Amino acid sequence: MDSKQREALAERVLALSTADQTEVTIGTESADLTRFTHEEIHQNVARADTGVSVRAILGLRTGTAATNMLDDESLQATVERAIAIAQLAPEDPELAPLPSGGPTKAPAGAYVKATADASPQLRADMADAIFKVAEADKFWCAGYARTQSAGFTIANSNGARASFDGTDSGINVKMNAPDSTGYGQAYSPDATTLNARSVAETAAGKAKNSAKPQGVEPGEWTVIMEPAAFGEFFTYLAQHFSAQAVDEGSSFLSDGLDKQYFGEHLTVRDDYADPLAPSMPFDFEGQPKKRLTLIEAGVAKTFVTDSYWAKKLNRENTGHALPAPNAYGPQAIDLVVAPGTKSVEQLISETKRGLLISRFWYIRTVDQKKAIVTGMTRDGTFLIENGKVAGGVRNMRFNQSIIAALGKCEFSNAPQRTGDYWFSVVVPAAKIEGFTFSSGTQF
Amino acid sequence: MSFDDLAARALDTASKRGAEYADLRFEVVRAERIETRNGIVATLSDATSRGYGMRALVGGAWGFAASSDLTPAGIDATAARAVEIAKAGAAIARHRFGAAPPRAYVDTFATPIVRDPAEIPLGDRVALLLSAEKALHVSPKISVGRAWIDLWRTDKTFYSTLGSRIEQSIAQTGSGLEALAVGEGEVQSRTFPGDIGLYKSGGWEIIEEAQLAQNAQRIGEEAQSLLTAEQCPSGTRDIILGGSQVSLQIHESCGHPAELDRVMGWEANFSGVSFLEIAQLDKLRYGSDIVTIRIDNTLPQGMATVGYDDEGTKSGTSDIIRNGMLVGYEMSNDTARTIGRESNACVRAQSWEFVPMIRMCNLNLLPGNVPFDGLFEDVKDGIYMESNRSWSIDDHRLNFQFGCEIAWEVKNGKRGKLLKNPTYAGMTPKFWNSCDAIADEKSWVAWGTPNCGKGEPMQTGRTAQCASPARFRNVEVGVGYGG
């Protein structure tokens, strides 16, 4: 279903509603993924769906209902169900009117037809190229190649109208050697730009170079995190920039804006138009997204809102609503960390003793307000001695406040898109002093 | 055209296009959620999704395609796509591992329900949550109170070219509470029941069993008290874990590593591998003699209880850990065949859109013979922890660190002062071998986990790890806060 068809469907559903205010969203997705292990495809899937969601508002009462059945009878029933739910809902005295929207423009490169049209053979060819790299090194590999397209249209009774189409693709490879592993990844809206062999060679190189890993003592280390590792921290930091978290007291920003929370090297934006990760220029209420500087030279400047939290806190609506209803409040989902001036090689050469980290695993919050997280290194962790990579080390567990870590950091000059699924982030590699490891493993 | 006819058409199309075997799941999924937050209804939603997912086997390679298009043309296109995908995989296959299931069934299954949630007016459901949530607010320090109900209903029919036709109606229900307390530089939360809520298969009786209103004030008071509680000490202690935390421990350190697809490297790039290697089967001492962990996908009220899994295999029981020894895995048809066994029906898909894969189902630590209070006896210097707050484990499932919401000091067999930010860490086999007491069946609960993530594309699974509280000796505590 293309944007014109979605827009026509949205208008048709909107016309069915008798509520005081109505919001209709139409989401389409076509997602294909080829997953492999031991040089064999074990999962090769495709799915396609179109969903319709209706938010009905009667005075200060709200109800939502959703369906993927697009016949007239089902659509009418969904609208009526949303209204019936709203009639039974208690009033919310702080309910905001639906936004009236505004002009938006999709960022360049967000939709690539070749990705939307990609065949199973394209993904099989990518997998085959990766298999050949593994076989040449007598490793085994696991990973995926995926292509997908998605469209989203919103229309509400207050005049908001917006549509967006985007594509995405990705390759993810773990190479497995007898006593070491290595990781590579690449993501792009344009599947034809992905180089499967190159990603596989990166992963194989890490597996080779981390062979016969040695154990090192836990404690405080200077670390250099490659983008795939560093980016994961922002999955956990992003929620602190939600107006809801700030208001309820669980965000570090609850202690106030315009304070120096981080080192002066850190500048973080929320920018849907970054060329490495172009995404939807409006939020899930149809409000145009603001391109915000959240952290500037270590100073917290602002947080994100949606219509509800903008009204409640008497702030501007920054256009960061998630699909209604949700328990998370507005979220910054297009984070971009400003790069530094040095190459990764220079950061390594300036490090007397430290660790180079390719990837983390299973990061979880230990203390929400202090942003203390724990997690493990994986798939390529290296010792740095006297400015050179000196071999692989066994994986370790860290316990670290992200806020404290970002107080003593500098960044490389080459940002990459990392992250996957619903959250992606654009980050450089980061060098951090005094990063705390609490225990190790035997692998 | 009925869906039986459409399914027959799809299977016929796949066969004609070259599939050696094909199956199809048709599902109608309904999800209702109510969530109240600080006196208002933050979520009141009702979503219905209908569609089908189809597997086709060509030359030992699987293809899967899913669609919500129920027209004959849509059915044909989806069947053709599943076969096309399978052929693309077969063209580069180094090995041939896929095969059709060994047998077919024609049967029906429905979750036993005592009280249909549809009988409860929506207004009454909302009122229950608003009342319980209000009781959390014992002081202005409770910044956020939340209460929620989830009602899920899945009606699905499985068809295969072997002749299976399995019709199932599955009802799953859950509810919970959370209080967030904010003090000077401190944020503490308490959740009830457990750390997610109480989730089981069944109807409104599961909501009634949770007793939200009866416990809300206590939960609010505990959240507030944690703001001024002492920090959990660091060091080595005997610990007693509440039942929901034992459930989480089973989930992360037994349930996931015992997935045979993970053992075989199918999850290696994402959620990792497993230390429970096939060479260790029937040889590895995983835990102490009193530790027996059993799959039971027929368990009444088990979150993952079904008649048949999503490959059409009949539910049953089998052991993963028996008297401390590794004796089995969670298996699918293809993975079981590689170790000379048959599937134990542990295959699930999140919904019609997703390919079926091995999932933890009902995985239960059998109860011991000690009353709950008996766990505290013989503990000179220990800590009792309840309700998970943080969980992390390495990609081999060995090195773990978990945190709980609340703890109490245990001195000379008695529960003492309140402790905040409790954490504990260890290595999986050493930890389970330190288990020297498990509470009896009186405190055994079918704790459901409605949000287990696995696979790519990521699927959310609904699992259960039934457990009672248990005691572990000489465990590292207070990790992450430095004393």
Side-chain angles (χ1 to χ4, degrees), chain B residues 429-450:
Chain B
K430 183 180 177 190
F431 181 78
W432 279 107
N433 274 286
S434 78
C435 179
D436 75 338
I438 301 170
D440 61 23
E441 68 282 353
K442 288 180 183 168
S443 48
W444 202 71
V445 175
W447 294 103
T449 301

Side-chain angles (χ1 to χ4, degrees), chain B residues 128-129 131-133 135-136 146-149 173-178 190-194 197-200 203-220 445 447:
Chain B
L128 183 154
L129 292 185
S131 169
E133 192 263 306
L136 292 169
R146 296 196 306 125
W148 61 88
I149 289 173
T173 299
S175 64
L177 294 168
E178 182 184 20
R190 282 290 287 128
T191 314
F192 178 86
L198 186 67
Y199 283 79
K200 295 183 174 185
W204 191 256
E205 65 276 10
I206 308 301
I207 307 293
E208 293 169 335
E209 183 185 338
Q211 298 197 310
L212 301 183
Q214 295 88 330
N215 287 278
Q217 182 179 333
R218 173 176 65 83
I219 292 300
V445 175
W447 294 103

Side-chain angles (χ1 to χ4, degrees), chain B residues 21 23 28 37-38 58 116 141 164 185 198 214 230 256-257 288 301 304 315 327-329 345 362 379 446 463 475:
Chain B
Y21 165 84
D23 59 36
V28 179
R37 187 180 188 278
N38 287 355
V58 178
D116 188 343
K141 291 188 186 306
S164 280
L198 186 67
Q214 295 88 330
E230 279 188 30
H256 280 310
S288 61
Q301 294 196 336
S315 290
V327 296
Y329 295 105
N362 298 326
V379 174
T463 77
V475 177

Side-chain angles (χ1 to χ4, degrees), chain A residues 40 43 81 248 364 378, chain B residues 46 95 143 270 391 456:
Chain A
E40 188 75 42
Q43 183 181 307
R81 181 69 178 151
E248 71 187 18
R364 287 292 183 274
R378 73 184 291 193
Chain B
D46 182 350
H95 323 288
S143 167
F270 175 49
W391 65 103
E456 289 174 320

Side-chain angles (χ1 to χ4, degrees), chain A residues 178-224:
Chain A
D179 60 5
S180 61
T181 58
Y183 178 65
Q185 64 174 27
Y187 306 108
S188 172
D190 185 352
T192 64
T193 66
L194 298 179
N195 185 331
R197 180 175 172 176
S198 172
V199 173
E201 287 174 344
T202 297
K206 285 179 180 291
K208 265 181 230 172
N209 296 331
S210 60
K212 298 180 183 172
Q214 58 179 299
V216 294
E217 286 300 308
E220 289 198 356
W221 282 81
T222 298
V223 296
I224 296 173

Side-chain angles (χ1 to χ4, degrees), chain B residues 108-113 152-157 166-172 305-307:
Chain B
T108 60
F109 171 84
T111 303
I113 291 175
W152 297 315
R153 176 76 175 253
T154 303
D155 294 297
K156 60 182 175 182
T157 308
I166 303 165
E167 191 172 346
Q168 302 192 83
S169 181
I170 297 156
Q172 296 159 314
T305 297
V306 293

